[in-house]
Amino acid sequence: MTERFLLAIETSCDDTGVAVVGERGTVLAARVASQDEHHRPYHGVVPEIASRAHLLNMEPTYRSVMDASGLNLEDLAAIAVTSGPGLVGSLLVGLNFAKGLSLASNRPLVAVNHIRGHVRALFLEYPQVPLPALALITSGGHTHLFLVNTSGDLALLVKTRDDAVGEAFDKLAKMLGLGFPGGPAVDRLARQGDPKRFAFRQPKLSDGSKDYSFSGYKTAALRHIQAQPQAFRHEQAVSDLCASFQSALVTHLLDRVKQAFAQHAVESLLLGGGVACNSELRRRATDLAAELGIGCLVSQPKLCTDNAAMIGAEGWFQFQHGGRAALDLAPKIKAKAYCEYRPLR
Ligand code: KG4
Ligand code: ZN
């Protein structure tokens, strides 16, 4: 049987992504138009600028992906698009473009949850993911630990109650003048740094909850800088702070993974989202999984950061389970990715 293909569109934040993805996971063509240069002067994503840049990037990115795929609109089975969570103005650009294509081609529109897309990216590379699994999805906007059941559905175990972990990386980079996005720069400098030089306490939430919490780390980092501003003129202090900060964040992330493993019988640990590009997180998660006797699967970097191939993969899952969206589909800026919430005890 020949493989069917759908078109996927992702515009939830600051990357304009388009991909043509097959039902068996073939990615025929995929492009991401980055907006980093637009947001760099502000050290973070500016929503208004993001929506305008999506408007400029959308059509050329779509054309280049269709050309590379060698397909025409009428060859597609469906149009999948991220409907949330994300920035309202950014989501609207992708949604309206997808609706236009759906109308023009008379192909069904499929709404995709962005975070489920990050989880599904793992299935593109590893179609036989051993389930059930724990999936740690970490990015600039979200920090979630999920239980993925044998049918591929998600239950949320842990979420952040304040900043996302990628946001913490970006804020440290801003304090140290390392540019945007900050995570890759912190990761790079941390390799030459001493992770024991600066102390970071793990958060203890007063209500005893097992949520993630990252806002305290940036305050602690600021205190370290203010305590000895002269030292930070030297690159070694900057590298040491990056290493200490990164090590503390990874410890916090993996601590909850260990607790979740003690409460749920799982076969594998999955890492996705932009922060899953982090070299220390990848290394220590792999070591932890080996210790626990399970496999650790990590997406390749281009499938960790926002992209449309992952939206295509989740689009197929939804489409094959009857998912069809109406043309009045609205952006769902706080859309939930999971069917139940089962906080750790
Ligand atoms: O998934 P993503 O592309 O977009 C969101 O949905 O947010 O993730 C972007 C985030 C940014 O915060 C960026 O600093 C972070 O991922 N990031 C990293 C690394 N590469 C990207 N954080 C730490 N280490 C990295 N190597
Ligand atoms: Zn994302």
Side-chain angles (χ1 to χ4, degrees):
M1 194 185 85
T2 53
E3 192 171 7
R4 293 182 301 162
F5 289 90
L6 58 65
L7 182 82
I9 294 178
E10 153 64 36
T11 62
S12 65
C13 188
D14 62 336
D15 289 311
T16 316
V18 181
V20 174
V21 180
E23 62 194 316
R24 295 200 286 275
T26 309
V27 180
L28 215 50
R31 300 263 191 282
V32 173
S34 162
Q35 302 181 3
D36 285 353
E37 66 184 279
H38 297 274
H39 302 289
R40 192 163 287 127
Y42 308 97
H43 305 280
V45 175
V46 183
E48 173 87 19
I49 293 175
S51 345
R52 286 170 186 271
H54 281 307
L55 273 180
L56 293 175
N57 291 342
M58 190 74 256
E59 199 260 353
T61 310
Y62 160 72
R63 289 252 177 249
S64 106
V65 166
M66 287 308 280
D67 287 352
S69 76
L71 299 183
N72 296 310
L73 254 187
E74 52 274 21
D75 301 325
L76 301 169
I79 313 291
V81 61
T82 305
S83 56
L87 302 170
V88 67
S90 291
L91 289 165
L92 273 170
V93 177
L95 278 173
N96 280 333
F97 197 80
K99 287 177 187 181
L101 292 175
S102 165
L103 265 178
S105 62
N106 202 23
R107 294 294 182 270
L109 186 68
V110 179
V112 173
N113 180 289
H114 177 82
I115 298 173
R116 290 186 63 99
H118 276 300
V119 178
R120 195 67 55 193
L122 273 301
F123 290 72
L124 268 178
E125 277 176 280
Y126 311 101
Q128 305 302 329
V129 169
L131 295 175
L134 293 173
L136 179 63
I137 304 301
T138 53
S139 79
H142 24 264
T143 309
H144 289 331
L145 180 63
F146 293 110
L147 179 64
V148 189
N149 70 17
T150 43
S151 19
D153 257 319
L154 308 183
L156 179 66
L157 304 178
V158 187
K159 59 184 165 30
T160 179
R161 61 164 51 193
D162 41 54
D163 293 350
V165 61
E167 204 178 339
F169 273 108
D170 292 335
K171 284 178 176 165
L172 177 73
K174 184 176 178 182
M175 275 183 233
L176 294 171
L178 303 179
F180 172 83
V186 173
D187 189 354
R188 212 167 32 248
L189 286 168
R191 281 175 209 163
Q192 299 129 40
D194 171 7
K196 297 210 160 65
R197 173 157 171 195
F198 295 102
F200 285 93
R201 272 208 313 244
Q202 295 299 319
K204 277 220 165 45
L205 303 177
S206 52
D207 59 3
S209 109
K210 307 275 201 257
D211 284 351
Y212 282 125
S213 170
F214 293 98
S215 63
Y217 291 98
K218 67 171 190 265
T219 318
L222 187 63
R223 289 219 184 92
H224 286 307
I225 298 170
Q226 286 170 339
Q228 38 182 326
Q230 305 293 341
F232 283 89
R233 298 218 178 112
H234 302 285
E235 203 173 296
Q236 194 56 50
V238 174
S239 298
D240 292 345
L241 185 63
C242 288
S244 307
F245 185 89
Q246 177 174 287
S247 166
L249 259 50
V250 172
T251 298
H252 184 36
L253 285 171
L254 295 183
D255 180 59
R256 297 296 188 259
V257 172
K258 270 190 235 165
Q259 290 173 12
F261 182 81
Q263 291 176 29
H264 299 280
V266 295
E267 306 275 324
S268 48
L269 170 63
L270 316 178
L271 299 188
V275 180
C277 293
N278 184 268
S279 55
E280 182 169 352
L281 177 59
R282 294 166 90 96
R283 179 174 47 77
R284 287 177 54 191
T286 306
D287 291 350
L288 172 63
E291 217 175 274
L292 299 174
I294 58 175
C296 179
L297 304 177
V298 193
S299 296
Q300 51 176 289
K302 71 173 184 202
L303 287 175
C304 285
T305 48
D306 287 349
N307 66 87
M310 68 183 197
I311 301 303
E314 174 65 12
W316 271 113
F317 182 86
Q318 295 300 329
F319 186 59
Q320 284 164 341
H321 288 80
R324 304 287 184 277
L327 285 177
D328 63 356
L329 174 68
K332 298 186 183 67
I333 54 175
K334 294 201 168 137
K336 286 195 171 69
Y338 49 92
C339 46
E340 52 175 325
Y341 179 31
R342 286 204 242 167
L344 296 182
R345 296 184 300 277

